[in-house]
Amino acid sequence: MKRLLLLVFFIILFSLSPNFSFACSFTEFVPLKFNTNEYVFFGKIIGYTDKVESTFESYNRKIKFVGFGLKVKVENAVNLPIVSETIEVFSSYPKDTACTKAGVSLFELKKEFPVGTQVRVIGQENDKLIGNNNNNIPRIEVSFANQGHLFNNITKKGTILSTNESIFDYRLSLPLYGSKFTTDETFVWLFEVRKDLKRLEQTTSQNERFTILKRLAFSYDYYEDYENLIEKYLSDETSVKELIKLKKNWEKKN
């Protein structure tokens, strides 16, 4: 049920994009495996890129991609495949039944992300779509297809939604859907998952690993992914059984 609700929410979210069709297929959400190819960071909008135009193939058709990007100053990084003070971030969305990617206009970017906006970003390089920057500044694509994430990290009331050090309770995620919360608030758990997976990579403490894995038991994922994650990071059989039981009970309830 919870995955159905999440899927419906994503469909509603992306239906706000022009020309979007509900026939476009979707993939499952974040697998519990740290992806070293993802750029995961907090940043501040410092400007906008020039227009990018490229041609790519989709279903044996040549498609023209046109879009503008955000120039984002990296303030705190969770993971950067290429370390850089500035990263160019391009959003794309599916515009038809074939999930053909379309870019975002400069007008829309300035309206949604004015200069100075504090953001959370998850994206990956896609040189076939947005090309490379001549100034050696990384260019990344943020889209549903690559599990992307581009949201304001500060609410209108001035509340900071996530920091490098913040700890998230994933049991709070589901009640956010269909509530009074904004999408910036609702989808913060997607960013928090990356932070916890990175923490698992960085620590050798079995106690700390257990604590992180216990939090992740309440996140959204394939059950098999979670079991693999436990077996990878925990050596104590009793702890492994405890977390597997916890996860199974949570899945039954939700």
Side-chain angles (χ1 to χ4, degrees), residues 49-60:
T49 71
D50 294 330
K51 182 168 61 176
V52 166
E53 296 184 73
S54 63
T55 302
F56 65 98
E57 288 193 5
S58 176
Y59 293 89
N60 296 319

Side-chain angles (χ1 to χ4, degrees), residues 225-243:
D225 285 346
Y226 182 71
E227 188 173 8
N228 291 336
L229 201 66
I230 296 173
E231 293 176 350
K232 177 180 178 180
Y233 289 105
L234 287 184
S235 57
D236 179 64
E237 187 174 341
T238 301
S239 297
V240 170
K241 289 181 179 179
E242 179 182 344
L243 291 181

Side-chain angles (χ1 to χ4, degrees), residues 18 64-68 90-93 95 101-105 108:
K64 187 175 182 179
F65 175 88
V66 179
F68 289 81
F90 291 79
S91 289
S92 67
Y93 63 89
K95 69 176 183 179
K101 292 181 178 181
V104 180
S105 71
E108 290 173 306

Side-chain angles (χ1 to χ4, degrees), residues 18 45-53 65-71 88-91 93 102-115 117 150:
I45 308 301
I46 59 174
Y48 309 93
T49 71
D50 294 330
K51 182 168 61 176
V52 166
E53 296 184 73
F65 175 88
V66 179
F68 289 81
L70 300 168
K71 291 184 179 181
E88 295 184 349
V89 179
F90 291 79
S91 289
Y93 63 89
V104 180
S105 71
L106 184 59
F107 174 81
E108 290 173 306
L109 286 179
K110 288 184 175 181
K111 180 181 178 181
E112 186 70 21
F113 298 103
V115 169
T117 302
L150 174 60

